[in-house]
Amino acid sequence: MSMLEVNNINTFYGKSHIIQGLSLSVEEGEAVALLGRNGVGKTTTIRSIIGFTPPRSGDILFKGKQIARRKPESISRMGMGLVPQGRRVFPNLTVKENLTVASRGSAKGGWDLERVYKYFPRLKEREKNLGSQLSGGEQMMLAIGRGLMINPELLLLDEPSDGLAPMVLHDIADIVVQLQKQGLSILLVEQNVKMALKIASRAYVLNKGQVAWAGAAEELRNNEELQHQLLVVSA
Ligand SMILES: Nc1ncnc2c1ncn2[C@@H]1O[C@H](COP(=O)(O)OP(=O)(O)O)[C@@H](O)[C@H]1O
Ligand SMILES: [Mg+2]
């Protein structure tokens, strides 16, 4: 059984048919990259999966259960965490408050405040600071910490590299790799193709709401011509 199986979904904003018959899967413990130029539907795919913008048709199975018509709270409670594009930490809440409001009550052996702090000592140091007082990299750690507080089995990350300094990028990539090594399944949306293909074992490239390419990350990593063709905006 796959951790996540998206089967032929169609998602709309009003009359705009954005996601057009998209299928993808994430196996247990796997890190999968979801790539594509700006505006091809990566965030909309994430929104479809977590239930913010449910698909009008198609199936989404999470741990074998149909979730395509469930509410986001219920999907999240089943063990799906989200690190949204733009990080979205609460600027007027402290680090600690940002983390505790994201908690769904900790399960045994799961993620709680203590474990997040152990993982991100920097957040412990900044515990009393407001979200708005953090650097971009610290905000990213906080956003990941918030995603972990629901104690996920699958973590969706929407462009974690967005707006981060190159030095911080490296740290964030390491964090994602460590989380996967601890058994978390990961769906990673990225504009930073190089970073994503280092982390993921498989990749999907979207174009106009459809899967334009799918295969081993290594294959795409070693084929710059293909990367260019699929991902670079032509003039
Ligand atoms: N709330 C919305 N209402 C209408 N159209 C939207 C909305 N959000 C995104 N879109 C459109 O849907 C398409 C896909 O957007 P998005 O999923 O955000 O792309 P990506 O994350 O790949 O950059 C784009 O054409 C975008 O303009
Ligand atoms: Mg996006």
Side-chain angles (χ1 to χ4, degrees):
M1 185 175 59
S2 300
M3 179 58 65
L4 179 73
E5 206 179 312
V6 175
N7 210 338
N8 196 22
I9 60 164
N10 289 280
T11 304
F12 294 70
Y13 290 120
K15 283 184 182 160
S16 307
H17 189 179
I18 306 292
I19 301 300
Q20 307 183 0
L22 180 140
S23 299
L24 63 80
S25 67
V26 180
E27 303 308 317
E28 196 178 334
E30 193 184 26
V32 172
L34 185 58
L35 310 171
R37 300 178 189 98
N38 225 341
V40 295
K42 301 182 298 298
T43 296
T44 308
T45 301
I46 295 288
R47 292 181 62 88
S48 304
I49 294 169
I50 203 139
F52 292 145
T53 311
R56 271 199 207 159
S57 64
D59 298 316
I60 304 178
L61 302 182
F62 179 40
K63 297 187 283 181
K65 293 205 180 74
Q66 176 73 255
I67 58 163
R69 271 146 299 270
R70 281 199 198 204
K71 297 236 178 312
E73 310 85 78
S74 148
I75 296 171
S76 140
R77 236 179 284 121
M78 286 174 70
M80 194 187 294
L82 172 67
V83 181
Q85 186 164 18
R87 307 191 269 277
R88 305 283 182 90
V89 303
F90 291 111
N92 299 323
L93 297 186
T94 64
V95 165
K96 188 176 179 182
E97 288 163 349
N98 261 286
L99 290 170
T100 44
V101 295
S103 170
R104 300 274 190 279
S106 64
K108 224 181 171 183
W111 287 91
D112 54 15
L113 199 57
E114 206 176 319
R115 187 161 169 211
V116 169
Y117 281 158
K118 214 169 150 192
Y119 206 76
F120 298 108
R122 189 74 191 140
L123 291 183
K124 171 76 181 159
E125 287 166 29
R126 302 285 256 149
E127 154 176 82
K128 293 191 174 68
N129 286 112
L130 297 177
S132 61
Q133 295 171 317
L134 304 180
S135 70
E138 288 166 348
Q139 281 188 2
M140 191 63 235
M141 289 176 201
L142 182 53
I144 295 175
R146 283 173 52 81
L148 293 172
M149 284 298 279
I150 71 118
N151 203 25
E153 288 172 66
L154 172 67
L155 191 62
L156 313 173
L157 294 118
D158 194 351
E159 295 203 30
S161 76
D162 195 13
L164 293 183
M167 258 175 67
V168 184
L169 258 183
H170 191 77
D171 295 344
I172 297 298
D174 272 354
I175 288 163
V176 178
V177 169
Q178 287 310 317
L179 290 173
Q180 191 227 345
K181 282 189 179 151
Q182 292 190 21
L184 210 61
S185 309
I186 286 167
L187 182 60
L188 173 66
V189 169
E190 260 306 332
Q191 285 281 344
N192 188 324
V193 174
K194 214 172 161 185
M195 167 181 160
L197 293 178
K198 257 190 221 157
I199 295 172
S201 57
R202 284 192 303 121
Y204 294 86
V205 183
L206 300 194
N207 190 28
K208 293 181 186 161
Q210 299 178 329
V211 175
W213 186 89
E218 196 181 357
E219 192 182 332
L220 193 53
R221 195 166 50 217
N222 295 334
N223 191 338
E224 286 193 14
E225 198 182 314
L226 183 63
Q227 281 184 39
H228 197 268
Q229 179 196 325
L230 291 166
L231 294 159
V232 176
V233 184
S234 50

